[in-house]
Amino acid sequence: MENYVVALDQGTTSSRAILFNRAGAIVSRAQYPFRQIYPRPGWVEHDPMEIWATEKRALAEAVDTAHIDPKQIAALGITNQRETTVLWERATGRPVCNAIVWQCRRTAAICDALKAEGLDETVTEKTGLLIDAYFSGTKIKWILDNIPGARQRAERGELCAGTVDSWLIWNLTGGKVHVTDVSNASRTMLFNIHTLQWDADLCKALDIPMSLLPEPRSNSEVYGMVAAGIPGLEDLAGIPICGSAGDQPAALFGQGCFTPGQAKNTYGTGCFTLMNVGGQAVRSRSGLVTSVGWVLNGEVSYALEGSVFNAGSTIQWLRDELGLIESAPDCDRLAESVPSSGGVYIVPAFTGLGAPYWDMYARGTIVGLTRGSTKAHIARAVLDSIAFQVTDLVRAMNADASCPITTLRVDGGASVSDILMQTQADLLRLPVDRPAQVETTAFGAAALAGLAAGVWSGLPELEGLRRSQHVFQPQRAEADCAADYRQWRRAVERARSWIENDV
């Protein structure tokens, strides 16, 4: 009887479940979007109960449409939007407020205060991160400081905190298990990536009771079982939950980047370039951060990472806010109708700029408009902006790492765009390798769970499952690409420090 592994891929805009067979092929999938909540400019929230409801529904549907016996599911893995923060009641499982999303900038002033206290070096040395509103620690602090009674209840041990992996594992186990994996923990600004433990000094600096925090665990081990009696998931009771990783390290794992020096970029809501740097954490000098990629069989693999806050979300902005396109593929068709952006540059700093700039006060900018600029030029500039931002990250990564990237493996929703991938290869002067299996994030979670359950024997077997669908080679003249990149950097300078620091 064939075994299967199911992965929950809980993203920023939708909840998905994907069932994989031993060959790494997709057997079935289901996906449900959920609301994006914007209470104020620069604030982004999700309803945790809606996340759980949509993920539960996706899981039930994926299993149902696969037409298999649920007993054939050997393992369940989880991958999730990182940094997004939930606080909930231990007794009831009810969230105390909406989740604060990784994109949210409401804690910028808290970050400024921490910097003023001189904590920058301590945070970077211990966590591999920079002080920024992106990470979870200041989000927990904001909830404790601003939701009535939350701090007092936390100090009495009545509340749990966690990223979305913790929230899902808690609910899947019927409230029995409060854990996180080390890759998610390493994005909180509270976790020492060298000792792999919560850091008491950092928790004290942010005034966060350590009793709130989940237990850090490796990425491939049994955390618990799916509880009996979960409405809609009754047939899945007893399936081991035994793999978990944040979306980006999961994609690095799913791309088979098991060797130091291998790198991938995920083109999702944001863009995330990660390089496996092996068993020793590399300190970035170029505006990148260092995280735990995964812990497998007691061995740590660290990753250098650059994060772009707005990539695919810029295409969504064209569709939903500007109404220039009806669907994401329309952006490609429009962009392909013109030979270039016609000198138009878009810096999509809707929620600030991530690596390598780390500017919480930057905002979105369009420059270079003329009377002849059309919506096709704007569509082309949107795709170019995504490729420019990834070029920023790869250049920073090559400056930090001992060995330069020779090929960029790519995945994520926008990686299906041939025009974007070709632009990326041209700007980087590198091959861009798109796999046949583009669901690498979900497969990474499935692979980690499948290793723990014995579905796959080890990394060599997983490596053998990866196939390239297309490798894009640089085609455009290098001098032209260099000139475009210089203009991009000029455009970025116009977007930086746009708003006063009173968010």
Side-chain angles (χ1 to χ4, degrees):
M1 190 166 69
E2 181 168 9
N3 283 337
Y4 300 89
V5 180
V6 66
L8 304 187
D9 184 354
Q10 204 300 299
T12 305
T13 57
S14 70
S15 296
R16 305 193 305 156
I18 303 180
L19 197 72
F20 294 92
N21 63 18
R22 267 204 74 204
I26 292 172
V27 177
S28 66
R29 69 180 105 196
Q31 178 171 358
Y32 289 97
F34 53 86
R35 288 177 303 146
Q36 306 297 302
I37 303 165
Y38 306 106
R40 297 187 194 177
W43 290 30
V44 192
E45 295 179 356
H46 292 156
D47 178 350
M49 296 307 292
E50 198 176 352
I51 287 176
W52 168 232
T54 51
E55 195 59 83
K56 188 169 58 167
R57 189 176 170 195
L59 174 56
E61 184 177 313
V63 174
D64 187 51
T65 57
H67 303 297
I68 63 165
D69 183 342
K71 293 184 177 59
Q72 291 176 266
I73 300 174
L76 184 150
I78 292 171
T79 183
N80 58 287
Q81 53 167 322
R82 298 173 301 168
E83 297 95 20
T84 295
T85 302
V86 188
L87 262 70
W88 67 94
E89 297 173 345
R90 285 186 191 276
T92 67
R94 282 195 303 259
V96 302
C97 61
N98 279 340
I100 302 181
V101 179
W102 59 272
Q103 298 162 312
C104 187
R105 312 312 287 167
R106 76 183 65 184
T107 64
I110 296 174
C111 294
D112 287 340
L114 294 173
K115 291 175 185 176
E117 291 173 29
L119 282 172
D120 308 60
E121 177 60 27
T122 300
V123 167
T124 300
E125 176 56 37
K126 290 184 173 186
T127 71
L129 308 178
L130 303 164
I131 296 176
D132 192 85
Y134 180 21
F135 304 112
S136 311
T138 59
K139 302 181 196 302
I140 298 174
K141 176 175 172 55
W142 189 95
I143 293 171
L144 294 178
D145 289 346
N146 290 275
I147 300 301
R151 180 167 295 286
Q152 293 79 3
R153 298 184 69 192
E155 287 168 354
R156 292 197 298 266
E158 296 173 11
L159 302 182
C160 296
T163 41
V164 173
D165 59 311
S166 297
W167 172 242
L168 291 178
I169 292 170
W170 171 274
N171 281 289
L172 285 165
T173 60
K176 291 185 176 68
V177 179
H178 185 211
V179 299
T180 188
D181 70 81
V182 289
S183 73
N184 275 294
S186 74
R187 306 293 291 186
T188 59
M189 232 169 67
L190 302 171
F191 188 74
N192 188 313
I193 61 171
H194 310 289
T195 64
L196 303 182
Q197 297 294 330
W198 299 117
D199 189 272
D201 292 337
L202 291 174
C203 289
K204 184 177 180 182
L206 272 76
D207 202 12
I208 294 172
M210 294 181 74
S211 60
L212 263 182
L213 302 175
E215 179 191 352
R217 302 277 283 274
S218 83
N219 300 86
S220 183
E221 63 172 279
V222 177
Y223 311 120
M225 308 293 179
V226 176
I230 298 175
L233 304 182
E234 292 89 350
D235 293 343
L236 306 186
I239 293 173
I241 304 157
C242 52
S244 178
D247 50 8
Q248 302 318 315
L252 189 69
F253 198 83
Q255 283 274 29
C257 294
F258 306 139
T259 304
Q262 292 182 308
K264 70 89 201 176
N265 184 69
T266 296
Y267 297 83
T269 302
C271 268
F272 303 89
T273 307
L274 272 74
M275 177 197 270
N276 183 337
V277 294
Q280 293 294 321
V282 172
R283 173 80 179 263
S284 176
R285 304 292 175 186
S286 306
L288 304 177
V289 299
T290 307
S291 301
V292 178
W294 51 79
V295 171
L296 192 61
N297 300 323
E299 292 188 11
V300 189
S301 290
Y302 291 98
L304 261 181
E305 176 171 348
S307 307
V308 165
F309 295 155
N310 288 282
S313 56
T314 316
I315 299 171
Q316 290 176 324
W317 168 73
L318 273 191
R319 182 191 67 197
D320 299 342
E321 275 71 42
L322 296 191
L324 295 186
I325 56 174
E326 290 187 3
S327 66
D330 288 345
C331 187
D332 275 18
R333 286 190 283 273
L334 264 181
E336 287 167 346
S337 72
V338 290
S340 72
S341 69
V344 176
Y345 290 80
I346 292 177
V347 183
F350 305 128
T351 51
L353 286 169
Y357 307 103
W358 295 107
D359 186 342
M360 295 182 287
Y361 304 112
R363 286 297 179 266
T365 306
I366 305 178
V367 297
L369 290 170
T370 67
R371 186 64 183 81
S373 300
T374 68
K375 64 181 182 179
H377 293 112
I378 290 174
R380 185 68 179 253
V382 162
L383 295 183
D384 287 352
S385 76
I386 298 171
F388 283 132
Q389 290 179 101
V390 174
T391 302
D392 286 336
L393 300 183
V394 172
R395 285 185 167 214
M397 208 157 272
N398 282 337
D400 278 335
S402 55
C403 51
I405 297 168
T406 55
T407 301
L408 186 67
R409 295 182 174 185
V410 298
D411 54 62
S415 70
V416 301
S417 168
D418 286 355
I419 185 174
L420 174 56
M421 294 302 97
Q422 186 59 56
T423 301
Q424 192 69 80
D426 290 338
L427 285 169
L428 291 176
R429 319 310 298 171
L430 290 175
V432 169
D433 180 346
R434 183 170 65 195
Q437 170 59 277
V438 295
E439 295 289 3
T440 55
T441 301
F443 181 66
L448 288 162
L451 286 173
V455 175
W456 292 289
S457 59
L459 299 184
E461 184 179 4
L462 290 172
E463 205 166 9
L465 298 179
R466 189 187 186 278
R467 302 281 185 275
S468 295
Q469 183 264 334
H470 190 94
V471 179
F472 297 83
Q473 299 287 350
Q475 292 179 357
R476 192 163 167 243
E478 185 170 3
D480 294 343
C481 295
D484 282 354
Y485 185 69
R486 284 194 298 274
Q487 287 292 88
W488 159 256
R489 293 300 291 252
R490 290 182 67 210
V492 168
E493 288 310 308
R494 275 122 180 107
R496 298 191 70 180
S497 304
W498 180 254
I499 60 168
E500 300 296 331
N501 61 350
D502 57 355
V503 175

